[in-house]
Amino acid sequence: MEISVEKIEGSTDVKYFYDSYTVHIGNHRILTVVTYCEITAGKWLKQAKKANNSKSLPKTLVVGFSVERQNDYYSRYGLLEFPYELLHICIGSHCLLYRLNDPDLYKPPKFLAHFLSDPEVIVVGMGIKDKSSHLEKEFQVKIKNAVDLNELAVKGMKRDELDLGRYDLDRLAKAVLGKHMDVLRPGRKIEWFKRKRPYYHSPELNDEKVMFTTADAYLCYRIGSQLFDMIHGKASSAIAAAAAVAAAAKSRKNKKMKKGKKNKKGKK
């Protein structure tokens, strides 16, 4: 699947600090906004939510989601946990890349906490529970309904011969959405930034970084939406599906714990 990116001319706003892009993912066109401004990000979430109230999932909004750091740092004791730096949200054909401020220097983003704690918002992503935990610890932002895509795929596809619980995003996209959703990625690390701009202090994201990050957020959204339809049909609520996946995951965890206790008793 071919993907490309174009910066929208005249879309850079010096007052509200954002840049806009058009990202083509196969035959799909995604409008992406990159910003570190809370006002801009808050307005984007309000507008995207109004524009994407799905008729097939009444009173529910499915959101493709992820967060990441530019670099991982290690010590002799293992991976050091630094705060997340970039948040990705995809709703339909709209994507937001929000540059998170250092939580030690700035107040937690209230608009983000309000949006992600909305009971009608279903947040889907890879390794979402671990990311949600770190996001709450670092920024006091709690996700009300976090659904792991691997767990959702196990329940939705019911393909015991596939190890869907261990698939990465690209393999999961091909399994759920079809082989045509294969993303060709560069065999090198993608640089995050261009040189600093003269009119404000924050550097501009590289076009390539915008393109692949948008693709990842969009795939999370598409996979999640497709799996919810598989599980409960197009006319039912994703809230019920999210609850069902969470209950199934909890049940599997309890079974493993019980099995582990029995094994310990047997050894004694």
Side-chain angles (χ1 to χ4, degrees), residues 2-44:
E2 292 186 5
I3 60 176
S4 62
V5 61
E6 297 173 5
K7 188 170 183 179
I8 300 174
E9 294 299 326
S11 68
T12 298
D13 190 293
V14 213
K15 182 179 180 182
Y16 292 109
F17 309 111
Y18 70 82
D19 298 293
S20 298
Y21 301 81
T22 300
V23 179
H24 293 275
I25 304 173
N27 296 323
H28 305 278
R29 185 170 71 103
I30 315 300
L31 300 177
T32 298
V33 170
V34 181
T35 185
Y36 70 87
C37 176
E38 289 191 23
I39 296 175
T40 298
K43 286 182 177 179
W44 185 95

Side-chain angles (χ1 to χ4, degrees), residues 10 33 35 45 55 92 100 124 126 149 152 172 180 202 256 262 264:
V33 170
T35 185
L45 288 174
K55 293 181 180 179
L100 291 161
V124 297
M126 303 294 292
L149 285 175
L152 194 64
L172 202 60
H180 63 286
S202 180
K256 287 182 179 179
K262 287 182 179 178
K264 287 182 179 179

